[in-house]
Amino acid sequence: MSTVNVERPHQLSVEDARAAIDRLGADLKDKYGMKLEWSGDRAKLVGTGASGEIKVEPNRVVITVKLGMLARAAGVKPDKVHASIDKRLVAALQG
Protein backbone atom coordinates (compact mmCIF):
# COMPACT_ATOMS: atom_id res chain seq x y z
CA MET A 1 0.00 0.00 0.00
CA SER A 2 1.35 3.42 -0.97
CA THR A 3 0.70 6.48 1.15
CA VAL A 4 0.54 10.02 -0.18
CA ASN A 5 0.98 12.90 2.28
CA VAL A 6 0.20 16.49 1.32
CA GLU A 7 0.56 19.36 3.77
CA ARG A 8 -0.10 23.05 3.16
CA PRO A 9 -0.05 26.05 5.50
CA HIS A 10 -2.95 28.48 5.46
CA GLN A 11 -3.93 31.77 7.05
CA LEU A 12 -7.68 31.12 7.12
CA SER A 13 -9.96 30.55 10.06
CA VAL A 14 -10.63 26.87 10.70
CA GLU A 15 -14.20 27.38 9.43
CA ASP A 16 -12.99 28.98 6.19
CA ALA A 17 -10.37 26.26 5.76
CA ARG A 18 -13.10 23.62 6.18
CA ALA A 19 -15.17 25.39 3.51
CA ALA A 20 -12.12 25.30 1.23
CA ILE A 21 -11.74 21.57 1.89
CA ASP A 22 -15.41 21.09 0.98
CA ARG A 23 -14.62 22.66 -2.40
CA LEU A 24 -11.59 20.36 -2.68
CA GLY A 25 -13.85 17.45 -1.76
CA ALA A 26 -15.98 18.09 -4.83
CA ASP A 27 -12.82 17.89 -6.98
CA LEU A 28 -11.68 14.69 -5.26
CA LYS A 29 -15.08 13.13 -5.86
CA ASP A 30 -15.01 14.05 -9.55
CA LYS A 31 -11.36 13.08 -10.12
CA TYR A 32 -10.90 10.07 -7.81
CA GLY A 33 -14.41 9.02 -6.76
CA MET A 34 -13.62 9.81 -3.12
CA LYS A 35 -16.10 11.42 -0.76
CA LEU A 36 -15.61 13.29 2.50
CA GLU A 37 -17.16 12.26 5.80
CA TRP A 38 -16.66 15.04 8.37
CA SER A 39 -16.21 14.55 12.10
CA GLY A 40 -15.20 17.83 13.72
CA ASP A 41 -12.17 19.25 11.94
CA ARG A 42 -11.26 15.91 10.37
CA ALA A 43 -12.70 14.31 7.29
CA LYS A 44 -12.35 10.69 6.28
CA LEU A 45 -11.73 10.14 2.59
CA VAL A 46 -13.62 7.12 1.35
CA GLY A 47 -13.31 5.68 -2.13
CA THR A 48 -12.75 2.55 -4.16
CA GLY A 49 -9.09 1.58 -4.08
CA ALA A 50 -8.10 4.44 -1.81
CA SER A 51 -8.87 5.89 1.60
CA GLY A 52 -7.47 8.60 3.81
CA GLU A 53 -7.99 11.55 6.06
CA ILE A 54 -7.92 15.33 5.95
CA LYS A 55 -7.04 17.26 9.10
CA VAL A 56 -7.84 20.96 9.25
CA GLU A 57 -5.62 22.64 11.82
CA PRO A 58 -5.43 26.34 12.73
CA ASN A 59 -2.38 26.95 10.51
CA ARG A 60 -2.26 24.00 8.12
CA VAL A 61 -4.16 21.29 6.29
CA VAL A 62 -2.80 17.76 6.21
CA ILE A 63 -4.08 15.22 3.69
CA THR A 64 -3.14 11.55 3.84
CA VAL A 65 -4.27 9.18 1.09
CA LYS A 66 -3.63 5.46 1.18
CA LEU A 67 -3.64 3.84 -2.24
CA GLY A 68 -4.81 0.25 -2.07
CA MET A 69 -4.04 -2.71 -4.28
CA LEU A 70 -6.85 -1.83 -6.69
CA ALA A 71 -5.40 1.64 -7.32
CA ARG A 72 -1.92 0.24 -7.80
CA ALA A 73 -3.25 -2.45 -10.16
CA ALA A 74 -4.93 0.31 -12.17
CA GLY A 75 -1.56 2.02 -12.57
CA VAL A 76 -2.22 4.95 -10.23
CA LYS A 77 1.14 6.55 -9.45
CA PRO A 78 1.62 8.07 -5.97
CA ASP A 79 3.70 11.00 -7.25
CA LYS A 80 0.98 11.95 -9.75
CA VAL A 81 -1.69 11.74 -7.02
CA HIS A 82 0.47 13.92 -4.74
CA ALA A 83 0.95 16.56 -7.42
CA SER A 84 -2.75 16.58 -8.31
CA ILE A 85 -3.97 16.85 -4.72
CA ASP A 86 -1.36 19.51 -3.87
CA LYS A 87 -2.39 21.62 -6.86
CA ARG A 88 -6.09 21.32 -5.96
CA LEU A 89 -5.44 22.06 -2.29
CA VAL A 90 -3.50 25.24 -3.12
CA ALA A 91 -6.34 26.39 -5.38
CA ALA A 92 -9.00 25.58 -2.77
CA LEU A 93 -7.14 27.44 0.02
CA GLN A 94 -6.74 30.50 -2.23
CA GLY A 95 -10.49 30.59 -2.86
Side-chain angles (χ1 to χ4, degrees):
M1 183 178 296
S2 298
T3 302
V4 175
N5 294 301
V6 179
E7 182 178 325
R8 279 286 168 183
H10 68 81
Q11 296 181 358
L12 305 171
S13 69
V14 171
E15 294 79 22
D16 288 343
R18 276 190 59 169
I21 296 307
D22 280 335
R23 290 190 298 274
L24 173 68
D27 281 349
L28 293 177
K29 185 175 183 180
D30 291 343
K31 178 79 174 171
Y32 299 109
M34 300 182 80
K35 64 179 182 172
L36 299 179
E37 295 177 355
W38 284 102
S39 177
D41 293 332
R42 292 176 184 250
K44 284 177 48 177
L45 288 167
V46 181
T48 302
S51 63
E53 179 181 60
I54 299 176
K55 293 186 278 186
V56 178
E57 299 176 353
N59 297 324
R60 69 183 182 150
V61 172
V62 180
I63 301 175
T64 303
V65 176
K66 295 176 184 173
L67 302 173
M69 296 294 283
L70 184 60
R72 288 185 19 210
V76 175
K77 304 218 182 288
D79 58 332
K80 300 275 186 187
V81 172
H82 182 281
S84 176
I85 291 174
D86 188 53
K87 176 182 169 184
R88 293 168 196 281
L89 178 57
V90 168
L93 291 172
Q94 291 177 350

